[in-house]
Amino acid sequence: MTEAFDILLNASLWAAVLRIATPLIFGVLGALVCERAGVLNLGIEGIMTMGAMAGWLTVYWGGDLWTGLLVAALAGLLLGLLHAVLTVVLGLSQHVSGLGITLFGASLSYYLYRLWVQVGDLPPTIEPFQPLHIPGLSDLPFLGEAVFSQTAPTYLALLLVAVTAWVLARTPLGLALRMTGENPHAVEAQGLNPVAIRIGAVMAGSALMALGGAFLTLAAFNSFFPTMVQGRGWICIALVVFASWRPGKALLGALLFALFDAFQLRLQTTVEGVPYQLFLMAPYVLSILALVLVARRARVPEALMQPYRRGER
Amino acid sequence: MTEPILELDGITKRFGALTANDAISLRLRQGEILALLGENGAGKTTLMNILFGHYAADAGEVRVHGRPLPPGQPRAAIAAGVGMVHQHFTLAGNLTVTENITLGTEPLLRLDSRRAEAKARIRNLSETFGLPVDPDARVADLSVGERQRVEILKALYRNARILILDEPTAVLAAPEAEQLFRILRGMTATGLSIIFISHKLHEVMAASDRVTVLRGGRVVAERRTADTSPAELAELMVGRSVTRPRRAAHPVGAPVLVARGLTVREGHGTPLDAIDFDVAQGEILGIVGVSGNGQATLGRVLSGLARPLAGTLTFDGRDITRLTPRQAVQLGLGRIPEDRHAEGTVGDLTVWENAVLERLREPAFSTRGFVRRAAARSFAAELIRRFDIRGAGPDTRTRLLSGGNMQKLILGRNIAARPRFLLANQPTRGLDEGAIAAVHAELLAARAEGAAILLVSEDLEEAVGLSDRIQAIVKGRLSAPVTAEAADARTLGLMMAGIWETRHAG
């Protein structure tokens, strides 16, 4: 017990939590924006992989890190456009299209990577984002290491939580987006175009997802592997439900999952005699538990997964 | 005569082979209430959807203040001052009243919605027009009447000068409907002009200045309301004179269904409190009352969906107090449920599937676990022919039927099984005159063949026209029965007000 307590009091754990949470925060925000507009985006795994590859390749080819993030977001926009055309314009199954984009995005990323990059014994690397040193704050005891020694994209993710929350709750655009996820017929009756709003939301959400992928290659690691997203996208889809489709709770969910993950990594090395696979499982088991406890009260957007066609009820 | 503020000129709209609107023209003057009268399927809603820009017309033009509206653009209609209150509300239940009303009224890229201003304006409009509603309430928590107010406020908030209401009273109880028409009249005094769609003669007579009658997608007549009569309008609307059939006297047989001291309590439904009734062979027993007084619970008990706490229910002398839905089907307890969409049919299944759904276990429609499709289809075709179900073949998806034809399907599949007992729960709600007459004729035919029928209805004319005896339901209690002959308006009124109870108590 005391060992577990020691781990919790260690600032390096909390720094790891923020680091692990960052791609999840981007991903969950992206999934949330899509779903609030009424479109489930299961393309998230493929879009994150694509973002990881596109961002990394840009930097590998000599672009700077911020350009890498920008290119990743653009790649996300394109895959989002594809998902939007299939599900919103053509009204096809959101599940099938999303899974298709996941397979397509993952395969295409690896294909392009192999086409354009010479891979030797070791994968090529880039110089990733370094932890920022914020004068004053970074030198604080405990908090300095735990919170104020992160890379720039982590702070960007936190900022985007606030921006997304504000846009959804306080702006006319956010209202139109939420209404499109609740009742697109109401949106049309008020003179707006629900199809355009859904396309925009899916593209923006996909760009956010791609940023989550890019964080993996541009900040967390320094090279690209085709399997590096490792189910983080699916975690994000579950976190949206956990969060009741609210950005603030989504942040909380991402941090909670990251805490489980960081904690179990440390337990693996400190506790002996327990198979490490049990610890590996822990974050997922705890996530399912949290989902069961919280999600039954969740308020689902009423028109989620319902295709909208003009002139039909 | 003032200039018309709204003109529809030669509007034509086809859906495939069906011509929903055929060269329709009409005019609306300022401060006027125009009723658009027609049976279901006459093209009223299509016409208004064209006016509001949900559909683009194949031919013809809409002009507001003499200026043509671009077709197919709700935004243009709103900008020209046209507001529409849809029959199926276009509201988002999870959002607040203010959010529902202000959607689309601000520039989309504004960084902070002006919510305080919006709320103040909504309160102001509420007071001016007598449409009370809390701007911060979640729409899902509002009653149907309140939701309709939100719909009207949506139009007023956008400065509508012309208000279109599609069957505004379909979802309202009678007092709410009267209040609505008072409010609309008040609006015309401030210069608004109103079109309302209806198939109910009495409200057209009571609330409009002028009537345009549609039939089969064409304008068949225009009348000043003061110069016409319900009888003339009914004939214009249906195209022939329609009279509801009346019950002929005939002897009734032994009691079939008998309830004694039946008490039911369910989660949200109105409880039933020690009710007694019996329905005899060849008899129609009418249960009248304002909706929400326990009719739904009664329907659930007789379908085997709710268990009584106390009392007994017998069918041909056999105890069925603990009825299950499957037993109900096996015993031949026919049911016409209150909500034909939610409980009566499965909209996305075909007509033949709905026709045999309850009876799939019978050898006539299945063998060794396989559905006998040919037999089921021919049964459905037989129902369609015998009960005059229009616009349908056995393979039509049931959702596409009009309300009246859907009701004929439900009625038909029950009556074809020659039930000993039939529960008819609000069998003509929302139907037009032609369909009502057809449903009444079928119920009377079943009665003549010896079925015991329990008719639950809010429509007194219907109850008196069909029933042999009548009981009133008030707050889950039933009055003692009166014979139809003794049931004049005054007696029924007192019964429905629950007066019999005070007499018992006193």
Side-chain angles (χ1 to χ4, degrees), chain B residues 158-433:
Chain B
R158 311 198 78 167
N159 301 312
R161 304 306 297 156
I162 301 166
L163 200 58
I164 304 161
L165 298 105
D166 189 359
E167 309 235 358
T169 61
V171 292
L172 300 183
E176 280 180 309
E178 279 167 31
Q179 193 196 359
L180 171 69
F181 284 119
R182 269 200 304 280
I183 290 167
L184 294 183
R185 185 55 75 187
M187 288 179 182
T188 60
T190 68
L192 265 86
S193 315
I194 292 168
I195 300 180
F196 77 90
I197 297 178
S198 179
H199 58 244
K200 295 180 188 164
L201 296 171
H202 65 93
E203 70 187 30
V204 168
M205 291 302 297
S208 69
D209 299 313
R210 214 152 52 84
V211 192
T212 295
V213 186
L214 290 190
R215 188 171 76 228
R218 293 167 191 237
V219 174
V220 292
E222 274 193 58
R223 296 281 186 276
R224 279 163 43 88
T225 310
D227 300 341
T228 186
S229 66
E232 185 195 24
L233 289 179
E235 196 167 336
L236 286 168
M237 178 167 78
V238 186
R240 59 197 149 82
S241 70
V242 178
T243 43
R244 295 186 179 185
R246 285 189 74 88
R247 162 185 64 93
H250 79 161
V252 300
V256 174
L257 192 80
V258 178
R260 287 289 171 266
L262 211 54
T263 299
V264 186
R265 266 175 240 298
E266 271 198 306
H268 356 269
T270 310
L272 292 179
D273 193 358
I275 62 168
D276 297 320
F277 65 85
D278 43 64
V279 198
Q281 203 177 349
E283 181 189 47
I284 297 184
L285 174 68
I287 305 280
V288 298
V290 177
S291 190
N293 271 296
Q295 290 95 329
T297 312
L298 180 59
R300 290 174 56 77
V301 172
L302 297 181
S303 309
L305 295 170
R307 287 278 163 84
L309 272 184
T312 58
L313 191 63
T314 57
F315 176 68
D316 279 339
R318 174 175 166 186
D319 181 28
I320 57 160
T321 312
R322 311 213 141 264
L323 186 71
T324 64
R326 181 180 293 179
Q327 258 184 326
V329 173
Q330 281 167 350
L331 290 171
L333 292 166
R335 307 173 311 298
I336 300 171
E338 188 174 4
D339 184 339
R340 54 186 160 264
H341 299 281
E343 291 170 14
T345 56
V346 184
D348 282 322
L349 296 186
T350 61
V351 168
W352 76 261
E353 286 166 320
N354 274 292
V356 300
L357 203 52
E358 290 191 327
R359 301 170 61 194
L360 271 180
R361 307 178 68 84
E362 294 177 17
F365 299 118
S366 66
T367 42
R368 298 184 200 91
F370 289 92
V371 177
R372 298 179 60 183
R373 287 161 164 261
R377 278 210 180 82
S378 69
F379 174 68
E382 170 66 19
L383 289 185
I384 290 169
R385 193 188 55 72
R386 187 176 149 199
F387 295 93
D388 188 27
I389 302 169
R390 290 181 210 167
D395 290 299
T396 310
R397 270 199 302 165
T398 308
R399 196 157 61 82
L400 301 176
L401 299 185
S402 72
N405 286 307
M406 203 181 277
Q407 197 70 323
K408 287 186 208 165
L409 171 64
I410 296 170
L411 192 63
R413 79 175 174 211
N414 275 297
I415 288 178
R418 296 178 142 268
R420 299 266 301 128
F421 170 80
L422 180 63
L423 166 69
N425 203 344
Q426 318 282 7
T428 60
R429 180 185 279 174
L431 303 189
D432 56 52
E433 277 300 318

Side-chain angles (χ1 to χ4, degrees), chain A residues 87-108:
Chain A
T87 58
V88 181
V89 181
L90 299 178
L92 303 178
S93 158
Q94 297 181 3
H95 288 101
V96 174
S97 166
L99 293 174
I101 282 173
T102 279
L103 296 173
F104 173 70
S107 317
L108 183 68

